[in-house]
Structure formats: structure tokens, C-alpha cells
Amino acid sequence: MWHQQELRLAPRSRGFHLITDEVTAAVTELRNVSVGLLHLQLLHTSASLTLNENADPDVRHDLDAFLRERIPGDLPYFRHTLEGPDDMPAHVCFSLLGTQLTLAVRDGRLALGTWQGIWLGEHRDHGGARRLIATLQGE
């Protein structure tokens, strides 16, 4: 069985946001899969997807603070600056973290670890709505 759909995520502030529940609520076909894979691809170059800690929001804060300190918008060698000082740093974060996740599905649910969740990394100050392609394969 194959299923593919596009998900639209509401605009979010700069930082990391837990989106696991939003993804699983939108991909209702998950409940019909006993064993399979869910592939998520973010269709943007200034945001990212990652699998990380889902319980303590301080982890999301700390990762954002770490990236902002190491990839500021005022680096003198950045040439891609026409879209604002947050754009090139957003592309660097996108490249470091990536925009795709492939997750195991077991018994109609994502087979995540106890403290794992899907994060959207919004790396722009005003990134806008984001789109994901969710591709589900399984039986």
C-alpha cells in the first residue's frame, strides 16, 4: 500500500516546534498500516526537520540558541543577503539538519522512542506557512 499527501503547517515563530501530533493527525492512513515507513519531506530551504527530545521544551530552546550563536546573520562573508539577514543562516541550518525523515510505522502508529518527537526547525524570523510531503508505504 502506498499513500502520499501534502500537509500545510501554519506559520511559526523562529525556533524549533514539536509537530508529531500534527503530522499523525493529518496522515490518518497510518492507522491502517501494521508495518511500514513514513517518509516526510519538507519543501523549503530555510527550515528543517529533525527527530529529537519531545518532553522538555528547553531542548528546543537550547538547540535554537546554539545555532543562532554559531550562525549569526551578520557574518561578513555571506553574499546571499538580499532576502534579509536571517536568510543565509537559515540555509546553513537547513543544510546541517536536513529536510527529510523516514520513520518506522508499527501497528498503526509511528514507532518512536519514548522521548522522541518530530521537530520543525523554523530558521527565518518570518518564514510563513510550510509544506510537507508525507509518503506512507506499508501493509
Side-chain angles (χ1 to χ4, degrees), residues 107-138:
D107 299 327
R109 300 174 41 151
L110 292 177
L112 301 177
T114 302
W115 305 113
Q116 290 183 328
I118 303 166
W119 292 10
L120 170 71
E122 177 54 68
H123 306 301
R124 297 289 312 263
D125 291 331
H126 306 286
R130 300 300 190 172
R131 294 180 304 130
L132 283 173
I133 295 287
T135 304
L136 179 62
Q137 175 189 12

Side-chain angles (χ1 to χ4, degrees), residues 19-97:
I19 62 167
T20 312
D21 291 344
E22 194 171 346
V23 169
T24 56
V27 185
T28 57
E29 289 76 7
L30 274 172
R31 67 180 136 221
N32 301 324
V33 175
S34 58
V35 62
L37 296 171
L38 176 65
H39 180 265
L40 300 173
Q41 179 180 344
L42 186 62
L43 302 176
H44 301 274
T45 61
S46 57
S48 62
L49 289 177
T50 187
L51 187 68
N52 212 310
E53 163 80 43
N54 71 348
D56 186 350
D58 286 343
V59 177
R60 294 191 296 276
H61 167 272
D62 292 350
L63 184 57
D64 182 54
F66 176 86
L67 290 171
R68 285 183 193 231
E69 180 182 38
R70 279 150 185 86
I71 313 166
D74 59 355
L75 293 172
Y77 47 82
F78 280 166
R79 293 182 182 178
H80 179 73
T81 59
L82 291 177
E83 296 179 54
D86 65 335
D87 191 42
M88 190 59 219
H91 294 312
V92 174
C93 291
F94 149 83
S95 291
L96 291 174
L97 297 173

